[in-house]
């Protein structure tokens, strides 16, 4: 079971990413869809989405590594630092 603070942080990150993803769909994909056709459209769309996924993923990894890392072992069921 997640600690309450960690659970809120995780849900907050998912929420921010979800909103960001919909903003990107409207403001980035629409011009690409209107200006290009065929393979160029597919490659540009995939490149933009890959850059955004990697950028947000690296930000989240960097942001969450600030505090102590806690994990749960399968056998003991205890949280360890």
């Amino acid at each position: 079971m997640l600690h309450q603070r960690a659970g809120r942080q995780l849900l907050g990150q998912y929420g921010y990413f979800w909103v960001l993803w919909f903003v990107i769909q409207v403001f980035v994909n629409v011009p690409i869809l209107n200006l290009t056709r065929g393979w160029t459209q597919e490659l540009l769309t995939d490149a933009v989405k890959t850059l955004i996924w990697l950028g947000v993923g690296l930000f989240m990894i960097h942001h969450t590594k600030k505090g102590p890392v806690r994990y749960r072992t399968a056998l003991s069921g205890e949280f360890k630092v």
Side-chain angles (χ1 to χ4, degrees), residues 12-63:
Q13 288 175 346
Y14 278 122
Y16 290 138
F17 189 76
W18 187 71
V19 169
L20 177 68
W21 190 250
F22 281 112
V23 168
I24 290 165
Q25 293 294 323
V26 172
F27 290 110
V28 175
N29 283 348
V30 170
I32 290 174
L33 296 176
N34 290 335
L35 297 173
T36 59
R37 296 283 179 254
W39 284 105
T40 307
Q41 176 184 355
E42 293 295 326
L43 291 173
L44 280 174
T45 304
D46 290 344
V48 168
K49 289 180 182 180
T50 301
L51 287 174
I52 292 167
W53 275 100
L54 289 175
V56 172
L58 289 173
F59 172 77
M60 286 185 179
I61 289 170
H62 176 72
H63 183 68

Side-chain angles (χ1 to χ4, degrees), residues 2-14:
L2 289 173
H3 288 118
Q4 191 172 10
R5 180 174 158 221
R8 272 190 263 146
Q9 183 180 9
L10 180 65
L11 288 176
Q13 288 175 346
Y14 278 122

